[in-house]
Amino acid sequence: MKEPIFTGSAVAIVTPFTETGVDFDKLEELIEFHIANQTDCIVICGTTGESSTVPDEEHKSVIKFTAEKVNKRIPVIAGTGSNDTAHAIELSKYAESVGADGLLIVTPYYNKTTQKGLYLHTKAIADSVNIPIVLYNIPGRTGGLSFSLDTLKELAKIPNINAIKEATGNLSFVANIAAETDLNIYSGNDDIIVPVMSLGGKGVISVVANILPKETHDICKLYETGETEKSKELFLSLIKLINTLFIEVNPIPVKTAMNCLGYKVGPLRMPLCDMSDKNLETLKNVLKENNVKCLL
């Protein structure tokens, strides 16, 4: 098995916005909040960070700012994937140059590709940098494009392709990755953290960790240290909340929850929009049921 970039809970951190740009003061506050609450890694500019509506100038400045503020206290993984290989290489090189510890590379979307093209695309990015890469397998957001097991077996031979964020929800596929490759596996779905860890997963890249960082860390740490029953109990106690954070497309519910709790992370960027009144009421009720409070 390759040495993991991190074990435990990586927060897929939201990007706090003002009406005119990124709220860097709030981003620094969130970074310190996560470090204080034992988050094991920060993933910046991922799906939950609304990376698809962050133009290059902001994208680069957010990665640089985060790497500098974290200052190697915990790993920082930067989302630098694209459906344009040259663009992904440019962003990846930049992230490495400003101190990111790893890269999150999503499969191409819209234009998609074949498995051969997917291998060549990913290899080209990996060959352009020296830091480890986490493959991001999320076919629900990429028009159904997913790594095949054979492609993963070939990509795993590349030294700095280190891990996969597995967000298909298919535990059989997770088991086959674990059996057939030496990739580190991170759950890309909060609702299967413990099942993925039971198959050898190293942790989670998490949405719920934005509001419950210590609890998400604890689920992973308890499992890692052999207290599997306690891990399972804590995990199951959060399932209703986890599910509620996905009643509308991510990150609408989690960012709304953070604003409801007083984190003041600002607006969503269109085409993301405010929650429906019905879903907002459901979210507020579940937050109250779980006694979730702002910890900032």
Side-chain angles (χ1 to χ4, degrees), residues 26 33 208 210-213 241 245 253-265 280 283-284 286-296:
K26 178 58 66 174
F33 161 67
V208 72
N210 278 283
I211 57 174
L212 292 176
L241 174 60
L245 291 178
V254 72
K255 205 166 191 184
T256 302
M258 294 178 78
N259 283 327
C260 288
L261 294 167
Y263 286 81
K264 299 180 181 177
V265 293
L280 178 59
L283 176 63
K284 287 179 176 178
V286 173
L287 289 170
K288 288 176 184 175
E289 287 173 18
N290 283 266
N291 197 30
V292 182
K293 299 175 181 178
C294 182
L295 300 177
L296 287 179

Side-chain angles (χ1 to χ4, degrees), residues 44-239:
I44 191 76
C45 293
T47 304
T48 311
E50 298 175 77
S51 59
S52 57
T53 51
V54 175
D56 275 3
E57 183 179 349
E58 283 186 341
H59 197 142
K60 291 178 176 179
S61 63
V62 167
I63 292 170
K64 184 174 187 288
F65 181 89
T66 302
E68 289 177 349
K69 292 299 178 183
V70 173
N71 194 26
K72 303 300 180 183
R73 287 177 287 173
I74 58 175
V76 172
I77 297 174
T80 57
S82 173
N83 63 336
D84 172 0
T85 308
H87 186 219
I89 288 171
E90 177 195 351
L91 286 175
S92 297
K93 286 182 172 180
Y94 179 81
E96 180 179 33
S97 75
V98 296
D101 300 288
L103 306 172
L104 182 67
I105 303 296
V106 69
T107 55
Y109 38 86
Y110 188 70
N111 51 353
K112 306 199 296 181
T113 187
T114 62
Q115 289 296 311
K116 178 182 177 181
L118 183 53
Y119 172 82
L120 293 172
H121 166 84
T122 311
K123 183 178 185 299
I125 299 167
D127 287 347
S128 74
V129 295
N130 296 304
I131 56 177
I133 285 174
V134 180
L135 307 175
Y136 187 8
N137 203 34
I138 185 164
R141 287 186 179 264
T142 60
L145 181 64
S146 179
F147 291 104
S148 71
L149 184 61
D150 285 342
T151 299
L152 289 176
K153 286 162 70 174
E154 290 303 308
L155 287 171
K157 296 175 184 177
I158 299 170
N160 64 326
I161 295 186
N162 180 278
I164 184 165
K165 177 185 177 184
E166 231 303 298
T168 64
N170 184 342
L171 289 172
S172 176
F173 190 52
V174 172
N176 281 291
I177 297 169
E180 298 286 343
T181 80
D182 64 351
L183 294 171
N184 294 292
I185 302 170
Y186 300 108
S187 179
N189 301 77
D190 284 331
D191 62 351
I192 52 172
I193 300 172
V194 169
V196 169
M197 292 193 75
S198 76
L199 293 168
K202 294 294 191 286
V204 62
I205 297 177
S206 172
V207 173
V208 72
N210 278 283
I211 57 174
L212 292 176
K214 179 64 165 56
E215 290 85 346
T216 313
H217 162 86
D218 286 349
I219 290 168
C220 298
K221 190 66 175 179
L222 286 166
Y223 200 96
E224 181 190 355
T225 56
E227 296 188 76
T228 55
E229 190 64 25
K230 288 183 179 179
S231 173
K232 182 191 74 174
E233 288 173 3
L234 178 56
F235 167 65
L236 291 177
S237 74
L238 300 181
I239 278 290

Side-chain angles (χ1 to χ4, degrees), residues 247-258:
I247 55 174
E248 293 190 11
V249 66
N250 179 52
I252 293 174
V254 72
K255 205 166 191 184
T256 302
M258 294 178 78

